[in-house]
Amino acid sequence: MRIPRLTPTPVVLLAMVALSGCGGSAVVVTSAAPPVTTAAPTPVTAPPATTIPVVTAPPPVTVTVTTQAAPPAPPPGRTLRPGVRVVSPSRYTQDTTLAFRALTLFSNTLRRIDSPSEFRSNLRLLRAELRIFDAAIRRLRSYQLESATLDGQRARLARLGPPLARAMSDFLDAIRDGDVSSARRLANEIQRRLNDFRRAL
């Protein structure tokens, strides 16, 4: 038997509009606020339609494998942080790819939700995807790269990623609790942080 499609509540619509395109390395999403009707005395409408920024993964990196026992010396003028391990560009690419993939999965899961019951049943999955993103992006803090360009990008992503994940987690809490005011405020914060995150690449 086909289960009838439920009309999304304003809170769930807010979630879908606010984070319908969190971003990903291969996904370009433009969201538009759908018409919202409600029987409540004071209707709550979704925020104005916005074009969600596209977050792309760093460009492919060519890795040269050598047989040297010791790592090559840094370029002239490049000072590495003492005591912090140096990793290859391929390791950095693995971590960033995992982070952006988890962010995309989080976005896609949220976009599929169209009722409060679906939100509740998907909340554990959303949190798992968000934890993967947060853990992968936090790993960038534990190492450095010889390339000044890549290391600068790594530092920016490592600084901007965790606050973005925290805002998204708080957003899930607000939707779960039916706190429309907090959800709207957090949606604006997430949009701002996503813009900063995109510019960090």
Side-chain angles (χ1 to χ4, degrees):
M1 181 177 71
R2 183 177 179 82
I3 299 174
R5 185 180 181 87
L6 300 177
T7 301
T9 64
V11 172
V12 175
L13 282 170
L14 177 62
M16 290 190 295
V17 172
L19 285 179
S20 64
C22 289
S25 58
V27 178
V28 179
V29 179
T30 301
S31 71
V36 178
T37 58
T38 177
T42 306
V44 180
T45 58
T50 58
T51 300
I52 304 298
V54 180
V55 182
T56 55
V61 178
T62 301
V63 181
T64 303
V65 179
T66 66
T67 57
Q68 288 181 268
R78 168 89 168 111
T79 303
L80 296 176
R81 292 176 291 159
V84 179
R85 74 189 163 114
V86 178
V87 303
S88 67
S90 62
R91 169 59 194 275
Y92 169 63
T93 301
Q94 288 173 7
D95 285 338
T96 53
T97 298
L98 177 60
F100 285 110
R101 181 175 181 273
L103 191 61
T104 300
L105 291 173
F106 176 87
S107 169
N108 292 342
T109 300
L110 195 59
R111 287 171 55 214
R112 289 193 298 267
I113 296 172
D114 62 1
S115 74
S117 61
E118 285 189 17
F119 178 81
R120 287 191 296 271
S121 65
N122 281 278
L123 184 55
R124 181 175 295 182
L125 175 61
L126 286 165
R127 292 206 185 281
E129 291 163 347
L130 196 53
R131 280 195 300 270
I132 292 171
F133 165 74
D134 190 42
I137 212 73
R138 283 179 184 274
R139 272 198 298 275
L140 303 183
R141 296 178 172 181
S142 67
Y143 56 72
Q144 61 186 325
L145 293 106
E146 290 173 359
S147 164
T149 300
L150 286 180
D151 198 59
Q153 184 184 76
R154 175 207 58 77
R156 292 190 298 273
L157 293 176
R159 176 174 55 85
L160 297 170
L164 173 60
R166 187 164 52 249
M168 288 177 171
S169 179
D170 291 344
F171 182 79
L172 292 180
D173 290 343
I175 298 297
R176 178 199 62 196
D177 299 338
D179 188 344
V180 178
S181 176
S182 292
R184 287 182 182 279
R185 175 181 56 79
L186 287 162
N188 291 331
E189 178 183 346
I190 289 168
Q191 181 67 60
R192 175 177 56 80
R193 291 190 182 281
L194 276 171
N195 288 337
D196 293 341
F197 198 66
R198 176 176 58 88
R199 286 191 291 266
L201 294 170

